[in-house]
Amino acid sequence: RQDAVMQQVFNIMNGLLACNKQTAGLLIRTYKIVPLSQRSGILEWVDNSMPIGDYLIGDGESIEAAHTTFNPDDISPSRCRIEFKNAANLSHENKLRVYNNICKKFHPVFHKFFENSFVQPAVWYERRRAYTYSVATASMCGYILGLGDRHVSNILIDKSTAEVIHIDFGIAFEQGLVLPTPESVPFRLTRDIEAGMGVSGI
């Protein structure tokens, strides 16, 4: 039911964005949800899309990890996770030091999605711009609505238009702030998300 409510709110926001000349090109991708009971419902399958995480670290089956393919000399995503998990009990300064060391050994790669999927320069430019606009719109609206749990398995990318599609809205309206480990970031803008925007970044 909460997912259905969020889609309704996104549709209202799309209407508001369409009313203003300066924001008319901005859009939050939505999909249909029909709740049937407290514990069941029907979700629209979003065709031709994939979780960003599947592209970046693979799905363990048919999709090879972009990080491994394009940056073979970097440490693995699982190694990054282990190193940062081992720093859990350190001070903030030492955690930051560990994080910065990981960043030196693990480089963003999401720009390769655009280079390999859209080989014509004009198409590449349009898709990269559509991606940037959709990330910006979803980030602003997600911040207003207090969306949490925005990891790369909950953000899909449309393989045709390169727009992002957010799914799984179980944590919204600032609920992330009361989790055992509170979510303090306003939206997801990691190095890989920014890499997809091109050399100019944000």
Side-chain angles (χ1 to χ4, degrees), residues 6 30 35-37 45 103 105 107 136 139-140 150 156 180-181 196-197 200:
M6 296 306 296
T30 60
L36 299 176
S37 72
W45 184 266
C103 288
K105 301 180 284 186
H107 301 91
S139 297
M140 288 185 288
R150 296 298 90 204
L156 310 181
T181 302
M197 299 176 184
S200 297

Side-chain angles (χ1 to χ4, degrees), residues 52-61 63-66:
I52 290 176
D54 282 4
Y55 177 79
L56 295 175
I57 59 175
D59 65 351
E61 294 174 11
I63 302 172
E64 198 172 329

Side-chain angles (χ1 to χ4, degrees), residues 37-143:
S37 72
Q38 286 289 98
R39 306 185 70 173
S40 64
I42 300 172
L43 302 171
E44 178 185 358
W45 184 266
V46 184
D47 285 328
N48 205 33
S49 66
M50 68 185 297
I52 290 176
D54 282 4
Y55 177 79
L56 295 175
I57 59 175
D59 65 351
E61 294 174 11
S62 59
I63 302 172
E64 198 172 329
H67 274 290
T68 307
T69 303
F70 298 110
N71 294 334
D73 296 330
D74 282 1
I75 61 173
S76 69
S78 57
R79 184 71 213 161
C80 293
R81 233 179 258 117
I82 291 167
E83 285 190 20
F84 200 68
K85 188 176 182 183
N86 291 341
N89 296 323
L90 299 177
S91 66
H92 290 305
E93 294 79 15
N94 287 328
K95 275 185 190 173
L96 180 60
R97 191 176 300 113
V98 170
Y99 172 76
N100 286 330
N101 285 333
I102 291 171
C103 288
K104 289 175 186 173
K105 301 180 284 186
F106 189 75
H107 301 91
V109 76
F110 197 48
H111 58 284
K112 291 290 186 182
F113 172 82
F114 297 88
E115 289 177 17
N116 294 325
S117 301
F118 313 109
V119 293
Q120 297 296 324
V123 177
W124 167 83
Y125 176 79
E126 286 298 325
R127 298 299 182 268
R128 187 180 58 78
R129 191 172 76 157
Y131 164 78
T132 304
Y133 282 11
S134 70
V135 168
T137 309
S139 297
M140 288 185 288
C141 295
Y143 170 68

